[in-house]
Amino acid sequence: MAKDYLKRSQKDVKQNNLSLVLNTIIKYEPLSRADIVSITGISKPTVSNLVEELLQRKAIIEIGMGTSRGGRKPVLIRFNSSRRYIIAVDLGREDCTVAIADLKGNILQKEHGEFDKQSCLKDKLMIAEDLIIHLMDDLKIDRTLLFKITCIAPGIYVERGKELKWSPENTQNEGADIKKYFESEFNVDVILNHSTKLSLLGEKVLGKAKEHKNVLYIDFAYGLGCSFMIDGNIYFGINNSAGELGYFYSNIQEFKKSSVIPYEFGCLEKRISGYALQSKGVEKAKSNPLSKILDLAHGDYNKITGRTIFQAAMQGDQEALEILKESFQYFNMALANIINLLTPEIVIFGGGFSNAGNFLLDLINDEIKEKVLYMPELEISELKKDASIVGAIHFLLDNTNLLEEI
């Protein structure tokens, strides 16, 4: 038993050292063997053996000679990031974006596809699949080199013991399992997650949250969601379902009369979201056929969206501005409560509403600054839709043991 224990201990030490060397190369590449010894503190003979094993596994590659510091030029090593590839699929209500990245998370290329309004979920998944195939063909990447797929979607709700579901407008499509669909088509592991949380991670990696540890991210889209980072860590909650801002109650009457119903819009979402603004815009346009709202929709009530309301308001339409001011009273009350609870350093706004830029911030800033103990920075996301793609790729890599899995 002592011998078995010793063997296990030696194996563990070797695995730990292999991981340390590989992670050091990934972080600081390109490096020479001497650089690895200096950074890790592992002995030169051990580093040589570990590097040789990683070369045999094709986890790293030699790329040529470095600069001499007196004596022979050192051989430089880097991570073999193109050994396998990651696919990220961002499924929206109206469109999807597919990206392919290497094992360091570098996005090599993206493709965008539009959905027909009447498309069922399976139709949308087939469009995403075609985009993946086109991307891989364009980059001449064989299917055998595909490592994993990470898929993100908005408006999904996690129910204990069940897979992630689609948004309220698409509950008739729940029979199409997103995870199983991609797994069966590409024969690789698929990770499914909520776009709002991974958008915040994307902001942490490359966006406005990069220099902050306590962050609130608001996703203003057809639905309404949020995610938050506390001391540098995104809070996912039980069943990954934290951040359901749309289920906030706006007054005591709502609290008494309403209940949370999974897959349906919450009380706050019915007041402030793309869905809510669309409904209010249609109502206004029907009562005033000469309205700017209907004019921007080219006279078609079915083409009125939340975006239409913002466009009309930004062009000075008083009816549209009235809709926004009334709706944002409820949102601002909820936001002030969240800020007082979490005291974030910064609040980042993403989703379709964020395209309104400073006009959106003006609807919020003056309303809440006297209602909170500590006023955070209010910022518009610069990454936009790329935030969720970047976050999804890095979430996958953060939860992957590259030494064992590639």
Side-chain angles (χ1 to χ4, degrees):
M1 287 185 66
K3 287 183 179 180
D4 290 342
Y5 176 76
L6 182 60
K7 285 180 180 178
R8 284 199 303 273
S9 297
Q10 290 172 338
K11 185 179 179 180
D12 289 344
V13 170
K14 181 182 178 181
Q15 287 298 112
N16 289 339
N17 284 339
L18 275 170
S19 292
L20 177 57
V21 169
L22 179 60
N23 291 332
T24 299
I25 294 169
I26 291 172
K27 186 174 182 180
Y28 299 107
E29 65 180 3
L31 295 174
S32 67
R33 287 164 174 79
D35 292 330
I36 297 170
V37 170
S38 176
I39 294 171
T40 64
I42 302 173
S43 69
K44 183 177 179 180
T46 301
V47 164
S48 294
N49 291 333
L50 295 172
V51 166
E52 188 58 36
E53 181 166 339
L54 290 172
L55 285 168
Q56 289 176 5
R57 292 189 185 194
K58 298 181 181 178
I60 59 174
I61 54 176
E62 294 179 336
I63 60 171
M65 298 296 184
T67 304
S68 172
R69 298 173 186 168
R72 295 195 322 179
K73 290 184 178 180
V75 177
L76 294 180
I77 299 162
R78 71 166 175 81
F79 175 50
N80 188 7
S81 59
S82 58
R83 186 181 176 199
R84 305 284 295 278
Y85 296 91
I86 297 163
I87 295 288
V89 181
D90 185 1
L91 286 167
R93 290 184 61 256
E94 300 175 350
D95 55 16
C96 72
T97 301
V98 173
I100 189 162
D102 64 18
L103 291 175
K104 280 200 78 173
N106 299 310
I107 295 175
L108 308 179
Q109 196 166 311
K110 292 184 295 183
E111 291 277 354
H112 184 76
E114 302 285 335
F115 296 146
D116 185 271
K117 277 194 173 182
Q118 305 305 316
S119 296
C120 67
L121 179 53
K122 189 166 184 181
D123 291 337
K124 295 177 179 181
L125 296 179
M126 289 173 67
I127 291 172
E129 179 191 354
D130 288 343
L131 291 175
I132 293 172
I133 293 170
H134 182 264
L135 262 183
M136 296 182 73
D137 288 346
D138 200 37
L139 293 171
K140 295 180 171 57
I141 294 173
D142 190 89
R143 282 198 180 204
T144 58
L145 296 179
L146 187 56
F147 179 47
K148 289 182 182 180
I149 293 175
T150 175
C151 185
I152 54 259
I156 49 183
Y157 180 91
V158 184
E159 186 176 353
R160 186 182 296 276
K162 292 188 178 180
E163 198 45 89
L164 298 184
K165 301 288 187 179
W166 199 250
S167 59
E169 285 293 290
N170 294 290
T171 49
Q172 71 272 18
N173 299 320
E174 288 178 12
D177 189 310
I178 300 172
K179 178 178 170 68
K180 286 183 180 178
Y181 181 88
F182 287 120
E183 285 179 341
S184 65
E185 293 298 322
F186 293 97
N187 197 32
V188 295
D189 289 340
V190 175
I191 294 176
L192 204 58
N193 219 316
H194 196 293
S195 59
T196 303
K197 296 178 182 67
L198 296 191
S199 291
L200 176 52
L201 179 57
E203 293 289 342
K204 179 65 176 175
V205 174
L206 290 178
K208 291 288 183 74
K210 203 170 182 180
E211 305 300 324
H212 300 281
K213 287 187 174 182
N214 299 288
V215 183
L216 177 65
Y217 179 89
I218 303 292
D219 187 10
F220 269 132
Y222 192 70
L224 176 66
C226 78
S227 53
F228 42 97
M229 181 181 294
I230 300 174
D231 199 24
N233 297 306
I234 295 174
Y235 182 73
F236 283 81
I238 296 173
N239 294 330
N240 296 328
S241 58
E244 291 293 347
L245 175 60
Y247 289 133
F248 271 40
Y249 298 101
S250 303
N251 54 51
I252 194 65
Q253 287 76 26
E254 278 184 356
F255 183 72
K256 286 182 176 180
K257 295 179 180 179
S258 304
S259 300
V260 169
I261 303 175
Y263 319 127
E264 291 189 10
F265 285 111
C267 288
L268 186 58
E269 251 170 342
K270 290 175 182 176
R271 294 184 180 275
I272 174 70
S273 64
Y275 161 78
L277 296 186
Q278 179 185 54
S279 302
K280 293 174 184 179
V282 169
E283 186 179 329
K284 283 285 186 184
K286 285 182 176 179
S287 65
N288 179 14
L290 298 178
S291 72
K292 184 70 174 177
I293 295 170
L294 190 58
D295 182 50
L296 288 172
H298 306 291
D300 188 345
Y301 295 111
N302 293 321
K303 290 183 179 179
I304 294 174
T305 65
R307 187 182 299 113
T308 312
I309 310 307
F310 269 96
Q311 289 173 337
M314 291 169 75
Q315 292 180 28
D317 183 75
Q318 290 303 305
E319 288 187 328
L321 190 58
E322 181 184 317
I323 290 173
L324 291 179
K325 285 185 174 180
E326 180 189 4
S327 298
F328 270 88
Q329 284 182 342
Y330 294 99
F331 172 76
N332 291 336
M333 179 168 60
L335 180 61
N337 285 331
I338 297 173
I339 290 172
N340 284 329
L341 178 68
L342 299 178
T343 59
E345 305 157 61
I346 182 172
V347 180
I348 302 171
F349 298 96
F353 285 17
S354 69
N355 291 322
N358 289 332
F359 184 83
L360 170 64
L361 298 184
D362 288 343
L363 289 167
I364 300 167
N365 190 61
D366 290 341
E367 289 286 325
I368 69 167
K369 61 185 180 183
E370 301 298 328
K371 310 294 183 182
V372 297
L373 290 171
Y374 173 81
M375 185 64 183
E377 298 175 41
L378 302 184
E379 295 283 351
I380 299 293
S381 169
E382 292 178 349
L383 293 177
K384 303 297 182 186
K385 286 189 173 184
D386 283 348
S388 59
I389 290 284
V390 171
I393 292 167
H394 282 270
F395 180 85
L396 185 152
L397 289 173
D398 289 345
N399 290 276
T400 294
N401 187 327
L402 290 173
L403 181 64
E404 293 184 1
E405 295 187 50
I406 65 169

